[in-house]
Amino acid sequence: MVTTASQAKNTLDTLTPGTSQALPGVLDTVAGQVGGAVSTWNDVAPMLSRLTGHLMTRR
């Protein structure tokens, strides 16, 4: 997720003043990257929750 967020930031960093025509494409790319990060998080969240539960109840 951190890598994907970093990639989204880097994509946004490519925008400079005067490149407003590129904005829709950049935002579309970033939306896809963020969507991928959310999907990844949703896939691993149950496993992370179980792992955290095991660590918290460990004696």
Side-chain angles (χ1 to χ4, degrees):
M1 290 211 26
V2 172
T3 300
T4 304
S6 178
Q7 290 171 340
K9 182 194 174 301
N10 291 340
T11 301
L12 288 172
D13 286 344
T14 65
L15 289 174
T16 57
T19 59
S20 62
Q21 290 179 344
L23 183 61
V26 169
L27 291 178
D28 188 48
T29 299
V30 170
Q33 290 167 328
V34 171
V38 169
S39 179
T40 298
W41 177 258
N42 288 335
D43 290 346
V44 300
M47 179 180 57
L48 290 175
S49 180
R50 285 191 302 274
L51 177 62
T52 302
H54 287 297
L55 291 174
M56 297 301 291
T57 58
R58 199 176 204 188
R59 294 182 185 190

